Amino acid sequence: MTTTPVRPPTAAGLAVELTDLTRVYGSVKALDGLTLHLAPGELVALLGPSGCGKTTALRILAGLDQPTSGRVEVGGKDLTRVPANKRDMGMVFQAYSLFPHLTVLENVAFGLKLRGKDAGARRKVAQEKLELVGLSEHGSRYASQLSGGQQQRVALARALAIEPSVLLLDEPLSALDAKVRVQLRDEIRRVQIEVGTTTLFVTHDQEEALAVADRVGVMNAGRLEQLAPPAELYSAPATKFVGEFVGLSNRLPATVQGGTASVLGRDVPALDGSTSGPGFALVRPEAVSVVADADGGATVTAVMFLGPLSRVTCLLADGTDVVAQLASSDALRLQPGQAVRLEVEPSPVLVVAG
Ligand code: ADP
Ligand code: MG
């Protein structure tokens, strides 16, 4: 996870309000009462598994699709029935969508021509946006002469050239290899903060969502399960779905009574949304510590070295596997077969029923 970048004082974006959106395709409810508000200049990542309705939400915000019911407002104006070409939104999709027969500069200037800007103004703005994405030297090339990552930066420059009120990104990094994906992710964030455009970033990749967003909205089956800053989403999941979808969690037998969960013999606060009575606590690997103890009731089964951190897998007497993430200096003192005691840190946990 990254720290939250400092916002410039002059973020110029508009508020976006999606209210109670539904979208029905035949027997499929792609959206089922989605309500999502973005503050001016905010970057919200919509995160969820394939088919949960992310693209449908983005297309409805763009005006490329109509909701069955519900409302779309930008900057306080109701745009629900306004056509896409009057909505003033910049878009970047997963597939490279540059025009192959135009140069990079012409690609970036394309939307300005549609808006009736003269050639000189088009060139100036396009050159500025290419500079913003670090490609000012590549204006005269054709798309086919660029790498995938460069093409997506051109697509971003093109989306920003019209100085949109809202920027929409639908899995913009999914076609790129891992290293370029991280570089471009950070670059998108830098540029977005610089221009201050309110941005909806759709992804199925949780690490990407947590790294890039002011707030992450987790979607499941057409609904928003939780909308929260990345660190809060991670440390205080509101639902079972969020707890299991975001990050890696152990499921440890637990009992909840009066807001307190008993896990591995320790009492910790139970998060809102927890079940009561017996259930399973969702406990992060980094919240488990492993202590050598001949009577500890658990056994180390594997130690996996990951660099500064290591992952230690243990088996409880009841057959539960528990994964702990420890500093390698601690983990490397442990051996498979060794008897240990497991402890959870005293931070709040979500306890789910099944
Ligand atoms: P995501 O982007 O999260 O993967 P989508 O918004 O594309 O999900 O799709 C949500 C659901 O709506 C899926 O079940 C999908 O099959 C369905 N769907 C999307 N678009 C259409 C369409 N044009 N016609 C029929 N079903 C659709
Ligand atoms: Mg999609």
Side-chain angles (χ1 to χ4, degrees):
M1 284 192 292
T2 56
T3 53
T4 307
V6 178
R7 292 216 151 275
T10 54
L14 297 177
V16 172
E17 300 196 15
L18 305 178
T19 307
D20 204 14
L21 290 178
T22 61
R23 178 61 167 105
V24 179
Y25 296 110
S27 62
V28 175
K29 240 186 188 178
L31 295 181
D32 186 11
L34 175 73
T35 294
L36 176 65
H37 294 183
L38 285 72
E42 187 178 29
L43 191 159
V44 167
L46 264 190
L47 171 68
S50 177
C52 72
K54 305 181 296 294
T55 293
T56 303
L58 180 134
R59 286 174 52 82
I60 287 174
L61 175 52
L64 299 172
D65 192 5
Q66 289 291 313
T68 308
S69 63
R71 202 170 64 246
V72 175
E73 283 175 46
V74 174
K77 286 203 193 102
D78 187 342
L79 298 187
T80 315
R81 302 288 154 205
V82 173
N85 62 2
K86 298 260 157 43
R87 286 200 190 183
D88 195 26
M89 297 194 186
M91 277 177 272
V92 179
F93 301 100
Q94 173 179 344
Y96 315 138
S97 49
L98 303 181
F99 302 112
H101 59 287
L102 298 182
T103 65
V104 163
L105 199 70
E106 288 165 346
N107 264 284
V108 176
F110 188 80
L112 299 169
K113 194 166 184 181
L114 292 181
R115 283 169 170 74
K117 294 261 195 278
D118 68 58
R122 294 202 301 265
R123 209 184 155 73
K124 180 167 173 289
V125 172
Q127 192 60 41
E128 262 170 38
K129 302 306 172 198
L130 278 179
E131 254 157 52
L132 192 62
V133 300
L135 285 178
S136 53
E137 308 297 307
H138 293 64
S140 58
R141 293 203 192 172
Y142 289 88
S144 58
Q145 298 171 298
L146 301 178
S147 70
Q150 288 172 327
Q151 289 188 43
Q152 284 303 68
R153 278 148 76 190
V154 175
L156 179 64
R158 182 177 62 182
L160 292 171
I162 60 166
E163 303 194 325
S165 55
V166 180
L167 180 62
L168 303 174
L169 309 165
D170 192 355
E171 310 265 4
L173 307 173
S174 298
L176 305 173
D177 63 47
K179 196 170 167 201
V180 177
R181 208 184 304 156
V182 169
Q183 282 170 353
L184 191 53
R185 177 190 86 194
D186 295 348
E187 182 137 358
I188 287 173
R189 181 52 162 164
R190 175 187 63 74
V191 168
Q192 188 268 337
I193 288 173
E194 196 168 328
V195 298
T197 306
T198 310
T199 300
L200 189 63
F201 184 117
V202 161
T203 179
H204 67 277
D205 181 321
Q206 48 161 303
E207 188 188 321
E208 198 168 287
L210 295 173
V212 86
D214 292 306
R215 288 188 298 165
V216 178
V218 179
M219 280 185 76
N220 177 28
R223 288 186 312 273
L224 195 63
E225 293 260 335
Q226 186 173 7
L227 176 65
E232 184 182 328
L233 196 75
Y234 189 81
S235 61
T239 67
K240 176 172 189 272
F241 181 85
V242 175
E244 291 178 343
F245 188 76
V246 179
L248 189 68
S249 284
N250 292 290
R251 289 165 54 89
L252 304 182
T255 307
V256 181
Q257 215 173 20
T260 299
S262 168
V263 193
L264 293 177
R266 176 166 217 170
D267 284 349
V268 301
L271 286 168
D272 286 347
S274 289
T275 189
S276 58
F280 293 91
L282 303 180
V283 179
R284 304 290 183 196
E286 63 272 25
V288 177
S289 60
V290 183
V291 184
D293 182 345
D295 302 317
T299 310
V300 175
T301 53
V303 179
M304 190 193 286
F305 179 69
L306 301 172
L309 298 172
S310 291
R311 194 156 285 169
V312 178
T313 309
C314 302
L315 187 64
L316 296 178
D318 68 3
T320 307
D321 278 317
V322 183
V323 176
Q325 184 171 288
L326 310 177
S328 288
S329 50
D330 295 329
L332 294 178
R333 291 195 205 112
L334 301 166
Q335 303 287 337
Q338 189 174 348
V340 290
R341 175 165 40 90
L342 302 183
E343 291 174 354
V344 293
E345 68 176 28
S347 51
V349 295
L350 185 71
V351 182
V352 301

